[in-house]
Amino acid sequence: MTLEEKVAQLSCIARVPEAPWLKDAPPATAAKELIRRHPNGVGQAGRPSQHLDPGAAARLTNALQQALAEETRLGIPALLNEEGVHGHTAIDATMYPTAIALASTWDSALIEEVFTAVAREVRARGSNYVYAPVLDIATDPRWGRLEETFGEDPHLVSTLGLAAVRGLQGDAWEIPSDRVLACAKHFAGHGSPEAGMNAAPRHAGERKLREHHLVPFAKVVGEGRVGALMAAYHEIDGVPCHVNSWLLTEVLRDEWGYQGMVSSDGFGVPQLIDVHHVAEDAEQAARMALMAGIDCEVPQPECFGTLADQVRSGLVPIEAIDGAVTRVLIAKVRLGLLDEVPLVDVGRASEIVNSSEHRKLALRAALRSVTLLTNRESLLPLNTDTYGRIAVIGPNAVDLHLGGYSREDGPGTSILSGLQDRFGIGRIEYAEGCRISEGPAGGAEWWADDVYPSPDADQPERIAAASAVAERSDLAILVIGGNEATAREGWALNHLGDRISLSLPGEQGALVEAVTATGTPTVAIVMGGRPLDLTDVAARCDAVLQVWYPGQEGGQAVAAILSGDENPSGKLP
């Protein structure tokens, strides 16, 4: 390999939102442009199928891989990465309950089954590498990314994380053609940021790290043979994880014997310059990250593109480049990418993605994830003959809430729709009650920057209307909690997702008080991405169910549990 060919393998190119030549162009045109821009090949390409339907994604990935195999000197196909923490983040994909909801099943066999299905959908579109599972130990519920985790217990997170890795990769070193390379993240300690603020520093001694935050990663490295790890954004005792040679080399490689690939997090290398202020420029950031143990930069080579010149000038030893390239190529060998061009059947992509089998699995996972918190006087299961009129009230009832890292649109059943299907539309009267936030997608848009709390002045009228609906009903079902704008990855100052309070967002507390004051028996369905202070809810409501984000079939699952068709078996993680 030439030096340029080696450096090309250490970089990721063209995350789809920043690459219209991938997203909008015909596959043949996109493939031609890929080779023009990257004649030495590429290590990986970012989320090529995120904004395409399954068939279109398969056609694009086939064209890109064939071009790399046939029109570059070495003919090495790319790792095509995707997000998949609870389903493939792409159009039409099956969306399962969020990770914190999956953790509530305490069922490692089910988690393996779910991530096996995720892998099949990703691979059917032609991608082969998934950023999952999240193995952060979530100890601060103010942190907006808690929904992506399996909870706060190292043993549970380790057990379920191992199951997820086996679901994604399979059990063998060679990864089958219907599985993907897994990238466990975020290494390490990311789930306990200072003040609950995303990517804030972590102050912890070595013992705390080893006995808690490193445990799940050691598990998937030692028993799961995970193909990749992703470094975390934060600092540990002042040292950014992306340049922490003790963490990335001494512990990970020298102690644990890990031979897999270590990826940066998105823009984690340039953040060494403008966030952590430990590097003066792109050259120094690349050099520090590579020498500490980072093998590839994502989502684009803002810094690693300088490595060839740094080798020629003597600043970076070629041995460091060779070690990183070897680990990237090993990942491709495990996927069989060097044996044959990894083309997929375009026709089968639509058959596999969101298949009836996967929808049934999503329903089963949702049913297993629901946790019964209180049930005074055995109100649940509901005797459906007793309640002629049912009020469904709350800001989370009418929309399909899937949580973060979800597809933008697609099939699914909201709580209101599920209850209407189960109990009959004529028996149910809906009232919004109050609003949580404003902006795109009703203010619950995970991706959008421009979301803001609903004005307090607009709420009393809505609450009064909901109280009137409850007053004339035999049963009230409150669908409350958080939404995708109140708990999410806060990746920028204009895109916040952490909170200083665990109270119900907005005026939901007043809504609960008004509805329960009517004397109508009330069930609370609590949705969202983080634990909330439910003291008053539990005191006022006759039954409370924690459902987190229960996935695309969540409405069916909640209705089945309320009616007694299924039993709530979830346990808080």
Side-chain angles (χ1 to χ4, degrees):
M1 299 178 74
T2 66
L3 179 57
E4 284 70 21
E5 288 168 336
K6 292 177 181 179
V7 171
Q9 291 297 315
L10 306 186
S11 299
C12 175
I13 58 99
R15 191 167 70 174
V16 167
E18 288 82 38
W21 60 274
L22 265 183
K23 177 184 175 185
D24 301 325
T29 304
K32 182 177 180 180
E33 183 67 9
L34 171 69
I35 300 305
R36 186 186 74 80
R37 292 169 180 251
H38 303 281
N40 294 308
V42 296
Q44 55 184 293
R47 306 183 197 174
S49 68
Q50 178 178 348
H51 296 288
L52 299 173
D53 66 59
R59 286 188 287 273
L60 174 64
T61 56
N62 279 349
L64 298 178
Q65 297 288 44
Q66 190 143 23
L68 288 169
E70 296 177 358
E71 299 182 39
T72 62
R73 187 179 75 88
L74 297 177
I76 302 175
L79 297 170
L80 303 181
N81 67 57
E82 304 285 348
E83 295 285 358
V85 295
H86 62 114
H88 183 195
T89 308
I91 290 174
D92 295 335
T94 311
M95 296 315 303
Y96 299 90
T98 46
I100 194 67
L102 290 173
S104 298
T105 70
W106 290 53
D107 187 338
S108 58
L110 178 61
I111 271 64
E112 183 171 345
E113 202 174 343
V114 165
F115 281 92
T116 297
V118 173
R120 286 174 176 159
E121 293 202 6
V122 170
R123 203 69 188 264
R125 297 177 189 251
S127 292
N128 49 38
Y129 176 34
V130 169
Y131 292 152
V134 173
L135 300 184
D136 301 326
I137 305 295
T139 61
D140 194 325
R142 297 173 297 178
W143 180 50
R145 301 192 72 174
L146 188 143
E147 67 181 56
E148 302 174 38
T149 77
F150 292 131
E152 67 177 351
D153 181 75
H155 177 70
L156 183 64
V157 174
S158 299
T159 302
L160 301 186
L162 179 61
V165 168
R166 286 176 170 163
L168 292 168
Q169 295 188 168
D171 292 328
W173 188 83
E174 294 182 349
I175 298 172
S177 60
D178 62 348
R179 305 293 179 99
V180 298
L181 191 80
C183 181
K185 56 186 186 179
H186 307 86
F187 193 62
H190 192 51
S192 299
E194 188 77 9
M197 296 176 64
N198 187 53
R202 174 77 179 106
H203 301 292
E206 183 176 344
R207 177 179 175 180
K208 184 71 172 179
L209 286 170
R210 288 185 179 274
E211 292 187 353
H212 289 259
H213 301 285
L214 297 184
V215 172
F217 293 97
K219 185 86 166 179
V220 299
V221 166
E223 297 182 39
R225 292 185 287 193
V226 67
L229 297 181
M230 178 180 286
Y233 283 126
H234 66 284
E235 302 171 357
I236 298 176
D237 291 338
V239 180
C241 290
H242 278 69
V243 294
N244 193 326
S245 58
W246 173 81
L247 183 67
L248 300 178
T249 298
E250 292 181 33
V251 173
L252 181 60
R253 300 206 183 280
D254 298 343
E255 289 186 27
W256 296 356
Y258 179 63
Q259 297 180 350
M261 183 173 69
V262 175
S263 171
S264 80
D265 204 340
F267 302 104
V269 179
Q271 283 184 8
L272 297 171
I273 307 167
D274 56 18
V275 174
H276 298 290
H277 305 288
V278 297
E280 292 185 356
D281 49 31
E283 290 81 2
Q284 187 178 16
R287 187 165 64 249
M288 293 175 69
L290 178 76
M291 298 307 294
I294 300 292
D295 296 319
C296 52
E297 181 185 3
V298 300
Q300 54 206 38
E302 294 195 7
C303 300
F304 271 34
T306 68
L307 287 173
D309 286 342
Q310 294 198 67
V311 171
R312 281 188 283 266
S313 65
L315 291 173
V316 171
I318 189 62
E319 292 80 10
I321 300 290
D322 289 346
V325 172
T326 298
R327 291 186 285 270
V328 172
L329 293 178
I330 286 174
K332 296 186 176 187
V333 168
R334 292 187 66 179
L335 285 163
L337 302 186
L338 303 190
D339 298 328
E340 58 183 353
V341 184
L343 304 181
V344 295
D345 185 332
V346 173
R348 274 185 52 77
S350 296
E351 297 175 9
I352 292 173
V353 173
N354 205 31
S355 65
S356 60
E357 177 187 359
H358 290 176
R359 292 195 299 271
K360 290 176 184 176
L361 176 60
L363 175 58
R364 183 151 52 92
L367 288 167
R368 294 295 307 278
S369 69
V370 174
T371 303
L372 179 64
L373 300 184
T374 64
N375 189 22
R376 286 202 298 275
E377 299 182 8
S378 299
L379 176 66
L380 300 180
L382 298 174
N383 183 342
T384 54
D385 295 332
T386 302
Y387 307 106
R389 295 177 62 87
I390 300 174
V392 177
I393 298 168
N396 286 337
V398 73
D399 294 321
L400 180 63
H401 292 279
L402 297 173
Y405 285 106
S406 297
R407 55 165 156 73
E408 295 178 2
D409 197 8
T413 306
S414 69
I415 302 297
L416 178 61
S417 295
L419 295 173
Q420 289 173 331
D421 291 343
R422 179 62 182 80
F423 297 110
I425 293 178
R427 298 172 64 185
I428 290 177
E429 185 174 2
Y430 164 71
E432 186 177 37
C434 67
R435 295 180 61 82
I436 297 174
S437 51
E438 306 292 338
E445 175 58 69
W446 187 85
W447 296 98
D449 298 329
D450 52 342
V451 294
Y452 55 93
S454 296
D456 293 343
D458 297 342
Q459 308 297 10
E461 185 175 346
R462 292 190 178 102
I463 293 173
S467 177
V469 171
E471 183 79 52
R472 58 178 175 259
S473 300
D474 302 308
L475 175 74
I477 299 175
L478 279 167
V479 190
I480 55 176
N483 66 19
E484 290 84 349
T486 65
R488 62 182 184 176
E489 180 181 356
W491 58 63
L493 292 177
N494 66 333
H495 189 95
L496 301 177
D498 313 308
R499 292 187 68 207
I500 61 171
S501 168
L502 301 182
S503 62
L504 283 169
E507 294 300 308
Q508 291 183 94
L511 174 65
V512 172
E513 182 177 357
V515 169
T516 55
T518 65
T520 301
T522 303
V523 179
I525 309 297
V526 183
M527 185 180 289
R530 63 158 58 82
L532 294 168
D533 178 2
L534 302 178
T535 306
D536 195 51
V537 175
R540 292 179 179 277
C541 296
D542 300 285
V544 182
L545 290 170
Q546 176 75 62
V547 304
W548 308 108
Y549 295 118
Q552 68 178 51
E553 309 301 330
Q556 291 188 61
V558 169
I561 286 173
L562 289 177
S563 64
D565 295 342
E566 299 284 344
N567 209 34
S569 59
K571 294 164 283 289
L572 299 180

